[in-house]
Amino acid sequence: MNSAAGKDTMRPNPPHTTTTTVTVAYAGGDERRGPLTMGQANMIRCILRDDPTHINIHDVWSVPEGTTLEAVTDALRALAVRHEGLRTTFPRPQGVTPVDQVVSAGGTFTVTVLDHAELPADPAGYAESVARAARAGRFDLEREFPLRITLLTVAGEPVHVALAFSHAVADGSAMAILREEFAELLAGKELSGLASLPPVDLAAVEASPAGLRKSEASLRYWERILRTGPQEMFAEPRGRRPGTDEEARQLTLRSRRGSRALAAAARRTGHPEATVLMAAWCALVAHRAGQDSCVTAVPSANRFHARVARSVTTTSQDALLHLDVRVPAFDALVARTWGAVLNAYRHSQFDSVRLWEMIDRVTAERGSHFGRDVVFNDVSALPAPLLGADTQERDDAEQELTWGPPQALPTRLLAFTYRTAPQLHISLWAAPSLFTPEEAKGFLSGLVLLLEAAAAGDMPMEELAEVTGVRPAERGPGWLRVDGCWVSPDAVREALGRAVDGLPVRVAEERGPDGTADGTAEGAAGAEPHLTAYIARGDTSLTPEEAHRALTALIPAAGSGVLAPHRYALVENPPTEPDRSDAWRRLEIIEEGTGRSRQVRDER
């Protein structure tokens, strides 16, 4: 297996540097072949589709003073021999997605050595920029060694190793494990035996009857959430930009106050800190979004089993947490969070191809577009937490918020919890269309205030705004709760009008089940309104099913608050007063129906 960095890889070299390349040979591993793990299949799908700067990952490892170049390369060689995932490639015919992984017994990789007369004023930040730049360029899954390694030296003495990883062989947890082992090797320690499964063996477990049953259960769990949960957490007028990712700056909280409050709240409630923090996160997200529940992806959750806890591979499959926050006080939410998180963890192993087929089918049937709007990644329990290069020596802040570099954000709200003691250390990326800089800072500050309130006593949930200073989204009177989602009938009308090539359209709020026209209860508390789309089709042959398919195709780029109507009613010509729903209702309906298929009952 040979190393071949992408052609568009660029490094921000300062002046007075020299570059050399060291080729490192390794041998002694076992040669193996087998099917992909579910995590590998999931990430390879993304690697072949997404911008490599988004999907590749990076890390920086410090090198102790006095370490030789030979010691660094020996440690890297030992890691390659020790971990099958680092010796893995994914053969595939041209244009075909890989289905197998091949583990080599030996091969070579290269280390690019950047020698400096002196490092820039911020050595750690510079090393971070070198590692980040190496993410450019798609990894060659068939041939390339899955690490791009740059060794930064000063007058020949190693200082930092900057690495970019293929996400097909490593995730954040795997990088943390490798960092820890690299440091132990340089310290002359003997590594303990491998306790978790290598990828080929993990794939065999996943393909066993028990593994397949687990995957089927996970798909059913996800489908229930996709059919009944909110499709956008942040459905509001200033919501998602149609069809684009946003660039968001990293905002980092370091807070001894938050650490003390989290520990105290955990002691008082009798629940683990991770559960209390998750409850606080979900409570504040749902409050800010104006939702009754919080749907958040939890990427690191799928390493809770011993067989994968320290496996150097990618287990990047989301656990999907759906937490109903309708409780009177915070303690009840913490208790509910414990069970909900365990349920999400149990359902985080699945066939990713089948998952995406199900997502496509369900969103077409529901007439929605499920948004991975919120991601919460708690890596604080990892053996070597995946911290930024400058974080481990900054423990003295009672509370500080600092801005970092921007990056493309394929979600709306992303948080990494790096550690909870002696500081609560969280980095947040918040979509600028939804959070001004002050609102983003207020969100993290509000999280600390919420933890402090929870440490002091059982905080009533109705006091969230007062306690945290975070205000819910403002939608205006035109927005409705429909099918568990916040929907803008005007946005639905505009999107549907474009979908049917400009035919006259009226989207009307109809009587909810056993309720009034506005969905308020008359004998059925909490009944929600439904939407009917009236379309004047003229002399066209448009059918309800065709209208639904055309709208569904536009929804991913249609902006916020768009959900397909429950009913399409086709008339010949629009009324003389096209802005009056009752005028449309009086017209003769030529054809009516729905593009939707079956629904799954919400079993919360």
Side-chain angles (χ1 to χ4, degrees):
M1 181 163 48
N2 296 318
S3 179
K7 292 181 180 179
D8 54 349
T9 298
M10 297 178 63
R11 297 182 179 88
N13 295 355
H16 311 300
T17 63
T18 58
T19 304
T20 58
T21 300
V22 177
T23 300
V24 181
Y26 61 92
D30 295 327
E31 187 171 318
R32 308 177 72 193
R33 185 179 186 123
L36 301 178
T37 68
M38 292 178 180
Q40 287 171 332
N42 184 44
M43 294 316 305
I44 286 173
R45 179 182 182 276
C46 298
I47 288 168
L48 296 176
R49 178 196 63 196
D50 296 346
D51 185 325
T53 60
H54 297 176
I55 196 65
N56 296 337
I57 54 179
H58 73 281
D59 198 11
V60 175
W61 300 347
S62 295
V63 180
E65 187 176 352
T67 303
T68 65
L69 172 61
E70 183 180 16
V72 171
T73 56
D74 284 347
L76 293 168
R77 179 188 294 111
L79 293 176
V81 174
R82 174 177 169 85
H83 295 290
E84 292 185 5
L86 303 185
R87 296 184 275 114
T88 298
T89 52
F90 306 93
R92 66 185 184 113
Q94 183 67 30
V96 177
T97 301
V99 295
D100 289 328
Q101 56 181 310
V102 173
V103 182
S104 66
T108 63
F109 60 85
T110 60
V111 177
T112 301
V113 181
L114 295 183
D115 192 38
H116 306 72
E118 61 180 8
L119 290 177
D122 179 12
Y126 166 62
E128 170 81 9
S129 69
V130 172
R132 185 180 292 275
R135 290 167 60 159
R138 205 176 304 274
F139 275 91
D140 186 335
L141 294 171
E142 298 177 74
R143 286 178 290 274
E144 187 176 354
F145 188 74
L147 277 67
R148 296 173 183 158
I149 307 168
T150 304
L151 178 61
L152 307 182
T153 63
V154 176
E157 182 172 326
V159 178
H160 290 294
V161 184
L163 305 102
F165 292 75
S166 167
H167 218 330
V169 303
D171 54 18
S173 299
M175 290 195 300
I177 293 163
L178 290 170
R179 176 196 281 189
E180 177 189 44
E181 293 184 349
F182 177 75
E184 290 180 352
L185 287 168
L186 292 185
K189 298 180 181 179
E190 184 175 344
L191 300 182
S192 59
L194 295 173
S196 295
L197 296 178
V200 172
D201 294 333
L202 179 59
V205 170
E206 293 174 343
S208 69
L212 294 176
R213 286 194 299 271
K214 185 177 181 68
S215 178
E216 290 295 328
S218 297
L219 292 175
R220 291 193 298 271
Y221 169 87
W222 275 70
E223 182 170 357
R224 184 173 299 112
I225 295 174
L226 264 64
R227 287 190 182 274
T228 60
Q231 295 299 282
E232 298 175 80
M233 280 305 298
F234 298 104
E236 54 186 272
R238 59 173 177 167
R240 149 174 43 210
R241 295 174 182 172
T244 63
D245 292 342
E246 297 186 59
E247 191 172 77
R249 290 182 66 190
Q250 179 180 358
L251 176 62
T252 297
L253 167 76
R254 296 179 180 88
S255 175
R256 285 183 171 271
R257 281 175 49 193
S259 178
R260 291 194 299 269
L262 177 58
R267 287 193 301 271
R268 191 186 64 76
T269 61
H271 285 278
E273 289 186 7
T275 303
V276 175
L277 183 59
M278 181 67 76
W281 168 262
C282 288
L284 200 58
V285 168
H287 168 72
R288 164 60 182 80
Q291 300 278 13
D292 291 337
S293 63
C294 177
V295 177
T296 184
V298 191
S300 62
N302 42 20
R303 282 184 177 266
F304 68 98
H305 197 285
R307 67 170 171 253
V308 293
R310 292 188 60 85
S311 182
V312 174
T313 186
T314 184
T315 62
S316 290
Q317 294 185 279
D318 287 341
L320 189 65
L321 175 64
H322 185 201
L323 182 64
D324 189 333
V325 300
R326 292 174 294 183
V327 292
F330 186 72
D331 287 7
L333 183 64
V334 174
R336 178 177 290 181
T337 302
W338 172 256
V341 167
L342 290 180
N343 203 26
Y345 287 3
R346 285 197 298 266
H347 296 102
S348 61
Q349 176 187 311
F350 43 78
D351 182 326
S352 61
V353 174
R354 290 191 58 203
L355 176 73
W356 281 102
E357 290 173 348
M358 182 269 289
I359 289 175
D360 289 344
R361 183 181 71 253
V362 169
T363 54
E365 291 171 358
R366 194 178 184 189
S368 62
H369 177 65
F370 177 72
R372 189 174 180 264
D373 280 356
V374 183
V375 181
F376 186 80
N377 204 353
D378 186 347
V379 296
S380 62
L382 294 179
L386 186 59
L387 305 177
D390 65 341
T391 58
Q392 300 205 31
E393 299 175 356
R394 299 177 62 179
D395 292 338
D396 57 343
E398 185 67 9
Q399 181 151 310
E400 68 175 13
L401 287 163
T402 56
W403 289 104
Q407 69 176 52
L409 188 68
T411 184
R412 304 299 101 190
L413 196 65
L414 166 66
F416 271 79
T417 299
Y418 294 114
R419 56 183 173 174
T420 58
Q423 292 177 319
L424 180 61
H425 177 188
I426 299 176
S427 284
L428 181 77
W429 292 261
S433 63
L434 291 164
F435 292 82
T436 66
E438 286 305 311
E439 286 173 328
K441 292 170 69 174
F443 187 88
L444 282 182
S445 298
L447 185 65
V448 173
L449 292 169
L450 172 53
L451 291 172
E452 289 178 333
D458 190 9
M459 184 199 72
M461 294 294 284
E462 64 184 14
E463 296 179 4
L464 261 175
E466 180 183 352
V467 167
T468 66
V470 175
R471 298 289 179 263
E474 296 181 2
R475 295 188 174 88
W479 286 68
L480 304 171
R481 281 292 300 270
V482 176
D483 197 13
C485 304
W486 280 106
V487 178
S488 166
D490 287 342
V492 176
R493 175 184 52 78
E494 193 276 333
L496 181 57
R498 286 190 288 120
V500 296
D501 297 325
L503 291 175
V505 170
R506 177 69 178 176
V507 175
E509 177 187 350
E510 303 288 1
R511 187 179 296 271
D514 301 319
T516 64
D518 64 357
T520 58
E522 281 186 358
E528 290 185 346
H530 289 181
L531 294 181
T532 293
Y534 294 91
I535 306 173
R537 74 178 184 186
D539 57 2
T540 70
S541 60
L542 182 72
T543 67
E545 292 77 14
E546 290 169 343
H548 182 78
R549 283 197 300 270
L551 174 61
T552 300
L554 286 184
I555 284 177
S560 191
V562 179
L563 187 74
H566 291 77
R567 173 174 169 252
Y568 297 86
L570 305 184
V571 300
E572 185 173 2
N573 295 306
T576 55
E577 297 179 280
D579 293 334
R580 293 176 57 89
S581 296
D582 57 347
W584 286 85
R585 293 189 184 103
R586 289 194 292 267
L587 298 176
E588 180 182 357
I589 295 175
I590 301 170
E591 187 176 357
E592 64 180 311
T594 178
R596 293 181 175 217
S597 184
R598 67 186 183 89
Q599 294 289 305
V600 173
R601 183 179 179 184
D602 187 352
E603 298 179 357
R604 288 179 292 169

